[in-house]
Amino acid sequence: MIRLLQIEFIKLWNNRASKVLIISYFVLLTSIALVAAIKFDIGPVKFHLADQGIFNFPYIWHFNTFITAFFKLFLAIVIVSMMANEYSNKTIKQNLIDGLSKKEFVLSKFLTVISFAVISTVFVFVVSMILGLIYSDYNEISIIFSDLEYLFAFFIKLIGFFSFCLFLGILVKRSAFALGFLILWQVFEGFVRGMIRWKLFDGETTDRIMGFFPLNSMWNLIKEPFSRLGAVKSVANQIGEEFNFDYAVHWYEILIVLVWTAIFIYLSYALLKKRDL
Amino acid sequence: METILSVNNLTKKFGYLTAVKDLSFTIEKGNVYGILGPNGSGKSTTLGIVLNVVNETNGTFSWFNGDTDTHNALKKVGAIIERPNFYPYMTAVQNLKLVCKIKEVSEDKIEEKLKLVGLLERKNSKFKTYSLGMKQRLAIASALLNDPEILILDEPTNGLDPQGIHQIREIIKKIARQGTTILLASHLLDEVEKVCSHVVILRKGEKLYSGRVDDMLASHGFFELKTENMAELETYLEKNDSFGKVTTENGLITAFLTEEMNPAVLNQELFKKGIILSHMVKRKESLEEQFLTLTKNQSN
């Protein structure tokens, strides 16, 4: 297993484009700390974002995992191209001839995906912890370590998404087209949602059905945290609205994403096995 | 004899096209094999199958008597098929380190092999800056990293300039002298003739011949003769049972032997008869002639 990771590391780290993207990704993850610095001080209007409670435990786990999940697109580019480049350089052929089995080949990519997800999760944990300890209004241990399921959901979300990228890389064999396909798929899910809502079911059933689609199921893992924010809630109350959303991470949502992950990895392997190079 | 590779009734179909048809042969340790055949005769497909990159439609193959599974067996094989494929953004050394990781061998041999193929000075240049000849030589270095039991080369001199072709051939000969088993696929007959002891000949995916180069045609060779009195010589040869076909071309008589004959004996015999030769050569058909004869015989 270490050997497979080392192989992938040599391939990735010597590629300048991948290296730059990986580094910028982690810099961006850290940059969420900069949100703390947002401060308006124009005469009577004083606004300091960090004071609005976004860094309060345990809300910070929800907020930070939701925001940082957007940066995964950077790694998506790296993952799609690490797969597609093997095809365009034909190095996949050489790898197999040199004695890497097809299973090992897919496994080495998947292990890399898992490593990315693990490192990202640890990164977000550490950054959030530091921010929380500085700005949070509540510092009891029991509160700090509550709601950690958001981190777990974040981890699963990344693995699911990256596995999808990996599969697209193998399927399409060209990085640009694979990324295009990813966007197309997003549009497709939106289209399907529209059609179902329009022709078939009411909103709730549509949401439930859409929860089974890959990108939608990943999106569902961590719900938007903004309406949970104290400031937003009070504004809503003033205009007579009351939010009552379900923010929790559900086990069946995790399960759906895990099933998709398994499908993508298996399909990648099956595709590789079936194809002549 | 230790068997390195055995191929049994291998068939590969690409849609309607049958690229390899019911092919069987074995590769024994220590010999230098050539796979001969015109372009599109299934050479590369066959190699692709045994190298785990093309799926067979039917039939089986096994490495080293089937003691290990294919991908582990390939770690003991060195192979270059078609164009050299490496990571363009990595240097020669980085690329070879990666190969070492895949083959699970130590990195000690990298310098040695780069020296063998004459790339030591350029070892830290990126692969994409290499010329085709250098890329091909790097591929050979990479294939040798594990001191393979067998070296498989598919058209190793394709697309190279004469100097590059010469360099590659020298390297191959050097390796062959060290006793490494070699399997060389090529459509260049002289290339195969220069280095191979055994051949497998393919045409349209079918095996026409496999065995020693010398035994390819049941032939005892032929004499090329010239004398003042051509007519007399011709009559003598036609009457002699040791000779089969006799042809005259450009004042040179070519007489094919039906049985083994020592040239000294023939010379003495003719001298006694008063036929004095001004030119006498005994030789065997070149691989090219044999190949053409073989493919012609079967071409209907």
Side-chain angles (χ1 to χ4, degrees):
Chain A
M1 194 175 115
I2 299 293
R3 166 175 159 259
L4 295 179
L5 274 174
Q6 280 173 334
I7 289 173
E8 213 50 49
F9 181 78
I10 296 176
K11 291 179 191 171
L12 275 179
W13 203 244
N14 288 314
N15 187 340
R16 192 178 300 148
S18 307
K19 197 149 90 176
V20 168
L21 278 169
I22 294 171
I23 291 173
S24 16
Y25 169 74
F26 285 108
V27 168
L28 272 173
L29 282 195
T30 325
S31 75
I32 194 159
L34 292 178
V35 172
I38 296 176
K39 207 185 244 182
F40 299 109
D41 205 349
I42 321 159
V45 187
K46 282 199 171 63
F47 180 77
H48 188 187
L49 194 57
D51 291 339
Q52 299 302 310
I54 60 165
F55 293 139
N56 280 345
F57 288 116
Y59 177 71
I60 187 171
W61 300 126
H62 188 178
F63 182 79
N64 278 5
T65 50
F66 180 80
I67 296 294
T68 47
F70 285 101
F71 300 138
K72 69 182 184 290
L73 279 171
F74 277 81
L75 280 193
I77 298 172
V78 173
I79 287 162
V80 163
S81 61
M82 86 180 179
M83 200 62 237
N85 281 345
E86 300 273 8
Y87 274 101
S88 41
N89 295 331
K90 288 199 174 174
T91 41
I92 179 173
K93 199 168 169 179
Q94 198 62 44
N95 282 178
L96 296 182
I97 291 171
D98 285 338
L100 204 66
S101 72
K102 290 180 177 176
K103 200 182 266 172
E104 281 178 330
F105 185 83
V106 173
L107 199 60
S108 78
K109 300 291 183 198
F110 186 53
L111 285 174
T112 312
V113 160
I114 292 183
S115 318
F116 277 139
V118 168
I119 298 171
S120 306
T121 310
V122 170
F123 227 78
V124 169
F125 175 77
V126 170
V127 170
S128 308
M129 187 60 107
I130 292 170
L131 280 176
L133 287 178
I134 297 174
Y135 293 106
S136 175
D137 298 335
Y138 321 104
N139 281 329
E140 293 83 2
I141 294 290
S142 59
I143 291 180
I144 290 177
F145 289 104
S146 58
D147 279 3
L148 278 182
E149 68 265 23
Y150 285 110
L151 274 178
F152 181 64
F154 177 71
F155 174 69
I156 298 296
K157 184 171 174 168
L158 289 190
I159 287 195
F161 185 69
F162 293 156
S163 303
F164 190 32
C165 295
L166 208 63
F167 169 66
L168 288 182
I170 288 195
L171 181 72
V172 186
K173 300 192 222 171
R174 296 276 177 280
S175 16
F177 288 116
L179 286 171
F181 194 99
L182 187 66
I183 295 165
L184 207 68
W185 185 261
Q186 178 69 63
V187 173
F188 169 75
E189 283 194 17
F191 174 75
V192 170
R193 169 184 287 275
M195 290 312 277
I196 293 178
R197 181 75 187 83
W198 183 39
K199 290 285 182 197
L200 298 171
F201 301 111
D202 57 23
E204 204 176 315
T205 323
T206 310
D207 280 345
R208 205 163 290 157
I209 292 171
M210 289 312 293
F212 287 101
F213 283 75
L215 286 179
N216 213 297
S217 65
M218 291 165 204
W219 173 256
N220 278 349
L221 280 180
I222 303 174
K223 279 94 184 163
E224 56 80 25
F226 303 111
S227 52
R228 216 179 149 188
L229 203 59
V232 178
K233 261 189 184 156
S234 57
V235 170
N237 278 335
Q238 279 167 19
I239 57 171
E241 280 278 346
E242 180 121 21
F243 293 135
N244 206 1
F245 292 138
D246 176 14
Y247 299 103
V249 179
H250 296 289
W251 66 268
Y252 54 83
E253 290 166 344
I254 300 251
L255 185 70
I256 293 172
V257 176
L258 284 178
V259 167
W260 275 117
T261 306
I263 290 174
F264 289 138
I265 296 302
Y266 176 75
L267 282 182
S268 306
Y269 175 61
L271 209 57
L272 189 63
K273 206 170 170 185
K274 195 172 148 278
R275 265 193 199 143
D276 292 329
L277 293 164
Chain B
M1 264 298 191
E2 204 178 316
T3 304
I4 289 195
L5 169 68
S6 62
V7 170
N8 306 309
N9 308 99
L10 210 58
T11 300
K12 173 66 186 177
K13 288 183 180 150
F14 292 111
Y16 292 111
L17 180 84
T18 306
V20 178
K21 200 186 275 175
D22 205 24
L23 181 65
S24 304
F25 63 87
T26 52
I27 302 287
E28 309 281 353
K29 196 181 166 85
N31 296 330
V32 178
Y33 289 84
I35 297 189
L36 268 179
N39 291 328
S41 57
K43 302 186 295 288
S44 300
T45 310
T46 309
L47 293 184
I49 293 172
V50 299
L51 291 173
N52 201 20
V53 291
V54 177
N55 296 315
E56 69 273 15
T57 312
N58 264 316
T60 56
F61 63 92
S62 66
W63 286 99
F64 308 109
N65 292 317
D67 295 339
T68 46
D69 47 354
T70 306
H71 82 95
N72 278 320
L74 288 181
K75 288 175 188 162
K76 294 193 270 175
V77 173
I80 306 161
I81 65 177
E82 289 154 1
R83 304 209 145 230
N85 304 317
F86 288 99
Y87 295 86
Y89 52 84
M90 278 158 56
T91 67
V93 173
Q94 287 168 338
N95 268 303
L96 293 187
K97 278 187 179 162
L98 182 66
V99 175
C100 285
K101 272 273 170 313
I102 292 177
K103 286 191 182 283
E104 295 182 278
V105 292
S106 85
E107 297 173 0
D108 310 341
K109 295 231 163 102
I110 291 180
E111 298 265 323
E112 177 196 327
K113 302 302 175 190
L114 281 174
K115 199 172 166 196
L116 178 76
V117 298
L119 282 177
L120 204 51
E121 303 86 63
R122 293 289 304 275
K123 66 173 182 175
N124 287 322
S125 306
K126 292 207 161 104
F127 178 69
K128 62 182 168 201
T129 67
Y130 278 20
S131 72
L132 181 60
M134 294 165 75
K135 286 177 178 175
Q136 196 65 274
R137 281 186 279 148
L138 180 64
I140 294 185
S142 144
L144 291 173
L145 274 176
N146 51 346
D147 288 319
E149 305 254 346
I150 177 172
L151 183 65
I152 295 179
L153 302 156
D154 187 4
E155 307 277 5
T157 57
N158 222 359
L160 294 182
D161 57 12
Q163 203 195 351
I165 292 177
H166 182 71
Q167 283 174 332
I168 299 285
R169 281 195 191 149
E170 285 306 309
I171 294 170
I172 295 174
K173 279 185 202 160
K174 208 191 281 184
I175 298 159
R177 274 201 298 275
Q178 293 165 359
T180 307
T181 313
I182 296 181
L183 180 57
L184 174 71
S186 179
H187 62 272
L188 301 173
L189 296 151
D190 60 331
E191 185 166 290
V192 172
E193 190 171 23
K194 274 175 190 152
V195 290
C196 298
S197 57
H198 292 65
V199 281
V200 176
I201 296 186
L202 299 180
R203 202 178 55 96
K204 291 185 185 162
E206 280 182 280
K207 182 175 78 177
L208 297 185
Y209 174 79
S210 86
R212 296 191 64 85
V213 175
D214 305 337
D215 304 339
M216 224 166 104
L217 292 182
S219 147
H220 302 285
F222 58 89
F223 280 108
E224 283 177 356
L225 304 165
K226 208 186 237 178
T227 179
E228 295 282 296
N229 196 344
M230 293 293 267
E232 204 174 318
L233 176 59
E234 217 168 323
T235 335
Y236 169 81
L237 291 172
E238 271 161 14
K239 279 186 183 151
N240 195 326
D241 285 339
S242 305
F243 294 97
K245 201 171 64 157
V246 178
T247 58
T248 312
E249 203 178 309
N250 299 330
L252 195 69
I253 293 179
T254 308
F256 291 86
L257 283 165
T258 52
E259 58 186 3
E260 200 50 53
M261 183 188 266
N262 190 334
V265 175
L266 179 69
N267 199 4
Q268 197 178 23
E269 196 76 10
L270 288 171
F271 192 78
K272 272 186 205 159
K273 301 248 174 218
I275 304 170
I276 296 159
L277 296 171
S278 59
H279 173 101
M280 177 182 202
V281 174
K282 184 193 178 194
R283 59 184 195 93
K284 292 225 166 192
E285 289 90 339
S286 72
L287 190 57
E288 181 169 319
E289 286 158 324
Q290 299 188 45
F291 177 73
L292 290 175
T293 317
L294 252 178
T295 42
K296 210 190 299 169
N297 286 346
Q298 321 246 344
S299 64
N300 301 312

